[in-house]
Amino acid sequence: MLFLRPQRLHLAILMAVERPSKSAQKRAAMAIRALADELVELKPGLLAKVIDNEDVDHAVREAQAINSFGALRRQKQYIARLLRDADVDRIRMALQALQADDTQDKKRFRAAERLRDAMLKADASTRSELLTQAGLETTDALRDALQRHATSNDARARKNASRSVFRVLYEALALTQSQSQSREDNKDNR
């Protein structure tokens, strides 16, 4: 039988229990701190979609109202401490979903701007080709907005009509994307 001195026995027991290294613990703590920073930067409407823990929600809302740099830093540290006990993976997944939605909205916005600019410069036959390429159909609202843009003499009226064209195109692109997404979801469920 092997006899070890108490210090060595203690060391052998510690080595047998697998713990993350100090560097790994530090990386995890920094990741939670970065998550706390992200939560403080969120808009209040989006915050409710991400956090379900009342203590964390209250602490984040308090941090958003703080103007002092030192107090804000301490509040973020407190939020990070609260996050250690919360479901961090679920919060990260919710944040990623929000960021993905935001990215899709930005892409849709740019696509609607490019399509609007091309349609305002094009003639009637080219407009229908542009819409077909984008997977859209001509609607009465779009025809009206394009007609208002073409017939208006005032710069302000042309700008308003241009905005109307953009809104119609943006909504049509959003509808098209949501329909294609629902079709993909239905295929995946089969």
Side-chain angles (χ1 to χ4, degrees), residues 23-80:
S23 297
Q25 290 174 352
K26 206 175 235 187
R27 280 192 297 273
M30 289 175 68
I32 288 177
R33 178 70 192 269
L35 181 62
D37 291 344
E38 283 185 58
L39 292 175
V40 170
E41 297 298 320
L42 275 181
K43 295 178 183 175
L46 299 176
L47 192 61
K49 295 179 182 178
V50 176
I51 298 175
D52 59 356
N53 186 327
E54 290 181 25
D55 293 336
V56 175
D57 184 49
H58 183 69
V60 169
R61 291 185 192 279
E62 283 182 1
Q64 290 173 338
I66 294 174
N67 293 327
S68 170
F69 177 79
L72 181 60
R73 185 179 53 82
R74 286 188 299 276
Q75 187 69 15
K76 286 179 181 179
Q77 286 175 343
Y78 175 64
I79 293 167

Side-chain angles (χ1 to χ4, degrees), residues 87-158:
D87 186 7
V88 176
D89 292 333
R90 195 198 63 73
I91 293 173
R92 282 192 181 118
M93 287 175 39
L95 275 174
Q96 287 173 349
L98 285 176
Q99 290 168 348
D101 290 345
D102 189 43
T103 302
Q104 282 183 333
D105 286 343
K106 287 179 182 177
K107 285 181 182 179
R108 187 180 315 124
F109 189 91
R110 287 190 297 270
E113 280 183 328
R114 286 192 301 269
L115 187 56
R116 176 204 56 200
D117 293 343
M119 289 191 70
L120 293 179
K121 293 176 185 174
D123 60 351
S125 62
T126 309
R127 286 179 183 159
S128 63
E129 290 176 22
L130 289 170
L131 287 174
T132 305
Q133 289 174 357
L136 304 175
E137 297 178 8
T138 305
T139 62
D140 293 336
L142 182 59
R143 274 193 219 100
D144 292 343
L146 288 169
Q147 184 64 31
R148 273 184 289 156
H149 185 270
T151 58
S152 59
N153 296 329
D154 183 21
R156 178 176 279 168
R158 289 178 72 85

Side-chain angles (χ1 to χ4, degrees), residues 159-182:
K159 191 172 187 177
N160 288 338
S162 175
R163 287 179 181 161
S164 297
V165 170
F166 172 80
R167 274 188 233 110
V168 170
L169 291 173
Y170 184 80
E171 290 170 4
L173 286 171
L175 181 65
T176 304
Q177 287 177 352
S178 67
Q179 288 173 347
S180 65
Q181 183 66 33
S182 64

